[in-house]
Amino acid sequence: MTSLARDTRGAVYVEYLIACVPVVAFFVATWQFIELATADLVLKRAASAAARAAIVILPDDPSFYGGDEGKAAKGKGGALSGKKAEDITLAANLILGTMNVPPFPSQFSPATVTFPDFKEGMERGAPLTAVVTTSFNCGMGWASIVCGGSSRTLTARATYAYQGAEYGYE
């Protein structure tokens, strides 16, 4: 028994394991942080795409949207309803889809787009803000501690000048 207690074989291997675990954990956590930062950039671009789509689609001729005027839904805090709202949300989701490439799992849930300062009859040149909210799925298992769990809700805003038409459609 005394020879086993004084045996030093395998000490280097144990030291290697003790040193390797924090290095791998740091690498994986850094990778997750980079993915989260990239998701934030992509979400900001999606908000920009939604705002740009909104300043063009909202004042557009309703006949292109089946007579839909793109009215603000009551009690929804700037949410829009109808075909125009679907097209604006599609613009944001197409940008978010760029991060959903094989072999990686889908990282973004479908986004919701709201317009907190949208009013019917807005004046041309008034600021129109699009707020895009989505859930980012952190798929790195135990390294998701950087993300704060298995998913994280992300929000981005973009503001453009409203391009409302100064004429009516017949």
Side-chain angles (χ1 to χ4, degrees):
M1 280 289 197
T2 58
S3 66
L4 192 58
R6 293 176 193 223
D7 194 1
T8 59
R9 292 178 295 173
V12 173
Y13 183 68
V14 171
E15 289 174 3
Y16 171 77
L17 289 177
I18 291 171
C20 188
V21 170
V23 170
V24 170
F26 178 75
F27 173 77
V28 173
T30 302
W31 184 287
Q32 183 67 53
F33 178 74
I34 290 169
E35 279 195 349
L36 197 56
T38 303
D40 186 55
L41 286 173
V42 171
L43 187 62
K44 287 178 182 175
R45 175 64 188 105
S48 175
R52 288 181 59 133
I55 64 173
V56 174
I57 289 174
L58 290 176
D60 200 8
D61 187 355
S63 65
F64 294 129
Y65 303 92
D68 177 25
E69 295 286 340
K71 305 269 186 203
K74 294 188 174 161
K76 296 279 187 173
L80 295 176
S81 63
K83 179 73 171 121
K84 288 184 177 184
E86 290 173 16
D87 287 351
I88 294 168
T89 303
L90 176 64
N93 282 319
L94 285 174
I95 299 298
L96 295 178
T98 60
M99 279 191 72
N100 297 339
V101 292
F104 302 107
S106 178
Q107 292 183 306
F108 285 109
S109 298
T112 58
V113 181
T114 58
F115 301 92
D117 53 4
F118 175 70
K119 299 176 278 209
E120 293 177 33
M122 283 182 73
E123 292 184 24
R124 184 178 174 93
L128 180 67
T129 302
V131 178
V132 178
T133 304
T134 186
S135 178
F136 178 72
N137 301 317
C138 307
M140 304 249 345
W142 59 271
S144 295
I145 192 164
V146 172
C147 197
S150 62
S151 68
R152 182 178 194 137
T153 301
L154 300 176
T155 302
R157 324 176 100 197
T159 303
Y160 285 97
Y162 183 65
Q163 301 296 312
E166 295 178 350
Y167 51 84
Y169 294 103
E170 294 181 22

